[in-house]
Amino acid sequence: MPRLVRGAGHFVMSNISSERVPAFDSRWLPWLLVLPQLLITLVFFIWPAAQAVWQSFLMEDAFGLSTEFVGLENYQLLFTDPGYYKTLWTTVVFSAGVTALSMGLSLTLAVMADQVVRGAQVYKTLLIWPYAVAPAIAGVLWLFMFHPTVGVLAYLLDQLGYEWNHFLNGDQAMLLVIIASAWKQISYNFLFFLAGLQAIPRSLHEAAAIDGAGPLRRFITITFPLLSPTTFFLLVINVVYAFFETFGVIHAVTQGGPGDATRTLVYNVYDDGFVGLDLGGSAAQSVVLMLLVGALTVVQFRYVERRVQY
Amino acid sequence: MVENRFWLNLISHGVLALGVLLVAFPIWIAFVASTYPAQALVTGTVPLWPGDQLLENFGRVLGTGSDSSVGVSVALMLFNSLVMALGIALGKIAISVLAAYAIVFFRFPLRMFCFWLIFMTLMLPVEVRIIPTFQVVADLGMLNSYTGLTLPLIASATATFLLRQFFMTVPPELAEAARVDGAGPIRFLIDILLPLSRTNLAALFVIMFIYGWNQYLWPLLITTSEDYYTVVMGIQRMLAVGDGEVAWNEVMPTTLLAMLPPVGVVLMMQRLFVKGLIETEK
């Protein structure tokens, strides 16, 4: 659940030094208390992660009968495979699409909701519920609407003279998974943008309005700069979301196809490992992804916490 | 404001109404599709207004008379999802309360080491380490079981951090006073600290319930027996019919049923949920 990372990071930064006096004294009780979490963390997180690293140095023969240590060969194969770079590029395009579409729509809606005198709360209620919809379900909903033979929107496009068939057309498949993923993320971005907007003092707007700045000018010179910490934070969160949490959308809607048009990095790990049974290669990809998640986490801590611009 | 806000207001409401429609449109379509017999949805013309088969369709997917490709009823899948979501939400909260309590209110050797170990789990979403985690769970004999569905997902750094953050705001004098009055650490946790954290725990519960309910990849991997299918992944199985026709009039009611519980929780506990979400991030 990388989306909740930021709170943790902030907390680590700000509180790690401020040690407090221990309230209770006991030699064994604190160990007993952390034990359940520690055990689960070790068994289901640290151990598999270590396994992934170890497996990435191994290779199985074609029949899965023997395994040998091959050092960095899996990584070598991975980084010389043009298919992997294509997957990386697909992931970048997909993430950029999801982030731009979802954040653009949410910002527009949040600015409007911040403007209205009455009814902001109602709009909020009507806009937040997609947060609770699973990515896979969001995918199925949009798949149904864009289905070439039964979908409402596909039918509409057909009437307009545009042929829609995402089972054959890779670009259309990409567009479909982007729309479904972005739709689900609108509510999350909306909530944070709205909270960010409401934290901007009214008096700033009023002063600017008295000085003759119109609504658009005020947005560009006051709102947007003051909103930049929120925007940057959401940027990282959305990229993490698009990279790791949209597996359900892609698996349920396109299965990475047609061809490899919507095969993202995470889908590739799954497909190579579980369908292709290339355990070493899949493990090497897992390690690369873990490094990527680590890097994104560092970016969050370094830059987001330092308040982008004030 | 100094200017006439009439037009600004009108545009704002217009854009917001459009946004609400855009967000709700897929649900309307899903609802409409749930009210037609199967043939109506494969012949090409797409209805936009509900038909008369609503109860029949919902009744069929919930009962066992479904002719879809999955051999178990959606009612069982919903039950499995509920077990998984509750197990994950309550399990996460339980172990996180204990761990956060130990880290804030005690001093013990390797305390910071434990802290960082738990912290690392934040960086490793299950999607990234799929195969080794699957192997560990398989080795432990947890495939096709409720334990396998919940236990690997309940280690949560997020909940631990949120609670640690909250526990730090509790004045140390409170614990001091409790100790002077003769309350032991367990007593203090149960009688004072937990009641104080009520709102935080509730907000955490909402977020974790949704997280658990919406799991997709994990149940997909570790359930081969249909008896343990959860509803979110079961839908994918209903779609995977190869060259056959997808039974959309059964898939769509299932989709609606699958999103009803988490959406209901969010709407019912909206205030808490928004507070929890924004505060975990802050």
Side-chain angles (χ1 to χ4, degrees), chain B residues 94-270:
Chain B
I95 65 168
S96 304
V97 163
L98 297 181
Y101 183 53
I103 287 171
V104 175
F105 286 89
F106 293 89
R107 286 294 161 277
F108 55 97
L110 295 181
R111 179 172 145 274
M112 288 323 285
F113 174 75
C114 292
F115 180 73
W116 284 107
L117 207 60
I118 294 167
F119 176 66
M120 275 176 68
T121 60
L122 270 178
M123 302 202 298
L124 300 173
V126 77
E127 281 77 5
V128 171
R129 48 187 171 81
I130 305 166
I131 290 171
T133 315
F134 172 81
Q135 283 166 343
V136 167
V137 172
D139 290 343
L140 292 172
M142 287 184 189
L143 300 182
N144 289 317
S145 73
Y146 289 126
T147 325
L149 279 174
T150 50
L151 201 60
L153 298 179
I154 70 173
S156 157
T158 316
T160 314
F161 280 110
L162 179 72
L163 287 168
R164 179 175 183 259
Q165 189 166 13
F166 175 71
F167 287 170
M168 302 278 285
T169 66
V170 174
E173 291 79 16
L174 208 59
E176 195 69 18
R179 206 173 56 188
V180 170
D181 286 348
I186 301 289
R187 182 88 191 250
F188 174 71
L189 173 68
I190 294 171
D191 284 350
I192 298 175
L193 204 55
L194 285 183
L196 275 178
S197 342
R198 224 171 24 222
T199 26
N200 294 56
L201 292 178
L204 214 50
F205 177 82
V206 180
I207 291 167
M208 295 307 170
F209 181 86
I210 294 167
Y211 167 79
W213 184 277
N214 287 347
Q215 283 303 312
Y216 177 78
L217 176 60
W218 188 243
L220 195 72
L221 294 183
I222 72 151
T223 59
T224 45
S225 152
E226 295 183 338
D227 291 336
Y228 288 99
Y229 276 13
T230 64
V231 68
V232 174
M233 56 131 336
I235 289 173
Q236 193 271 333
R237 291 283 192 254
M238 295 169 87
L239 286 176
V241 290
D243 290 332
E245 289 288 354
V246 175
W248 289 109
N249 67 323
E250 291 184 359
V251 172
M252 284 298 131
T254 312
T255 320
L256 291 177
L257 287 169
M259 67 175 103
L260 205 60
V263 169
V265 168
V266 162
L267 290 181
M268 271 187 306
M269 301 175 77
Q270 187 184 338

Side-chain angles (χ1 to χ4, degrees), chain A residues 194-250:
Chain A
L194 189 60
L197 286 168
Q198 286 173 341
I200 297 175
R202 288 275 151 206
S203 52
L204 282 179
H205 279 281
E206 276 163 23
I210 291 168
D211 286 347
L216 188 65
R217 177 95 191 270
R218 292 205 301 271
F219 178 78
I220 295 171
T221 56
I222 299 175
T223 313
F224 200 70
L226 285 178
L227 206 57
S228 59
T230 309
T231 310
F232 194 81
F233 159 67
L234 285 176
L235 203 65
V236 178
I237 292 286
N238 278 277
V239 168
V240 171
Y241 163 78
F243 262 67
F244 303 107
E245 289 173 51
T246 49
F247 173 85
V249 180
I250 288 165

Side-chain angles (χ1 to χ4, degrees), chain A residues 81-121:
Chain A
D81 174 17
Y84 192 66
Y85 290 103
K86 188 167 175 290
T87 307
L88 179 65
W89 177 241
T90 307
T91 314
V92 170
V93 171
F94 173 71
S95 305
V98 171
T99 307
L101 184 61
S102 172
M103 283 180 66
L105 283 173
S106 315
L107 181 59
T108 313
L109 290 172
V111 168
M112 297 300 160
D114 189 45
Q115 294 261 0
V116 299
V117 182
R118 258 182 286 272
Q121 190 57 41

Side-chain angles (χ1 to χ4, degrees), chain A residues 1-8 10-12 15-16 18-20 22-24 26 29-31 33-34 36-38 40-49 51-52 55 105 108-109 112-113 115-118 121 123-134 136-137 140-145 147 149-153 155 183 186 188 191-192 195 205-206 209-210 215 218 233 244 247-248 251-252 255 266 269-270 273-274 279 282 286 289-290 293-294 297 301, chain B residues 1-3 5 8-9 12-13 15-16 19-20 22-27 29-30 33 41-42 44 46 48 92 95-96 98-99 101-102 105-112 114-119 121-125 127-137 140 151-152 154-156 158 160-161 164-165 167-168 170 172 175 179 185 188 208 210-211 214 216-217 220-221 232 235-236 239 248 251-252 255 258-259 262-263 266-267 270 273-274 277-278 280-282:
Chain A
M1 227 175 358
R3 80 150 56 101
L4 295 172
V5 157
R6 184 173 179 245
H10 175 63
F11 197 58
V12 173
N15 280 310
I16 219 142
S18 61
E19 294 286 319
R20 48 190 276 171
F24 296 104
S26 170
L29 187 64
W31 278 105
L33 293 170
V34 285
Q37 173 127 22
L38 223 48
I40 289 175
T41 306
L42 282 174
V43 174
F44 296 112
F45 286 76
I46 310 292
W47 176 241
Q51 285 277 308
Q55 257 172 16
L105 283 173
T108 313
L109 290 172
M112 297 300 160
Q115 294 261 0
V116 299
V117 182
R118 258 182 286 272
Q121 190 57 41
Y123 288 121
K124 200 164 150 184
T125 306
L126 289 171
L127 286 171
I128 64 164
W129 59 268
Y131 172 84
V133 177
I137 305 248
V140 174
L141 288 172
W142 286 92
L143 168 67
F144 181 59
M145 291 198 294
H147 198 282
T149 51
V150 298
V152 186
L153 296 179
Y155 176 77
W183 174 80
I186 286 178
Y188 186 87
L191 279 176
F192 276 88
H205 279 281
E206 276 163 23
I210 291 168
R218 292 205 301 271
F233 159 67
F244 303 107
F247 173 85
H251 186 257
Q255 306 261 327
V266 169
V269 175
Y270 162 82
F274 268 89
L279 297 183
S282 176
S286 284
L289 280 182
M290 283 193 251
V293 180
T297 315
F301 292 169
Chain B
M1 270 304 151
V2 284
E3 61 209 1
R5 302 195 34 129
L8 211 56
N9 232 329
S12 302
H13 280 291
V15 171
L16 283 165
V20 169
L22 173 80
V23 165
F25 186 62
I27 309 301
I29 295 297
L41 297 177
V42 292
V46 192
L48 277 173
K92 267 183 196 266
I95 65 168
S96 304
L98 297 181
Y101 183 53
F105 286 89
F106 293 89
R107 286 294 161 277
F108 55 97
L110 295 181
R111 179 172 145 274
M112 288 323 285
C114 292
F115 180 73
W116 284 107
L117 207 60
I118 294 167
F119 176 66
T121 60
L122 270 178
M123 302 202 298
L124 300 173
E127 281 77 5
V128 171
R129 48 187 171 81
I130 305 166
I131 290 171
T133 315
F134 172 81
Q135 283 166 343
V136 167
V137 172
L140 292 172
L151 201 60
I154 70 173
S156 157
T158 316
T160 314
F161 280 110
R164 179 175 183 259
Q165 189 166 13
F167 287 170
M168 302 278 285
V170 174
R179 206 173 56 188
F188 174 71
M208 295 307 170
I210 294 167
Y211 167 79
N214 287 347
Y216 177 78
L217 176 60
L220 195 72
L221 294 183
V232 174
I235 289 173
Q236 193 271 333
L239 286 176
W248 289 109
V251 172
M252 284 298 131
T255 320
M259 67 175 103
V263 169
V266 162
L267 290 181
Q270 187 184 338
F273 157 72
V274 172
L277 195 67
I278 300 210
T280 31
E281 308 287 6
K282 206 162 49 187

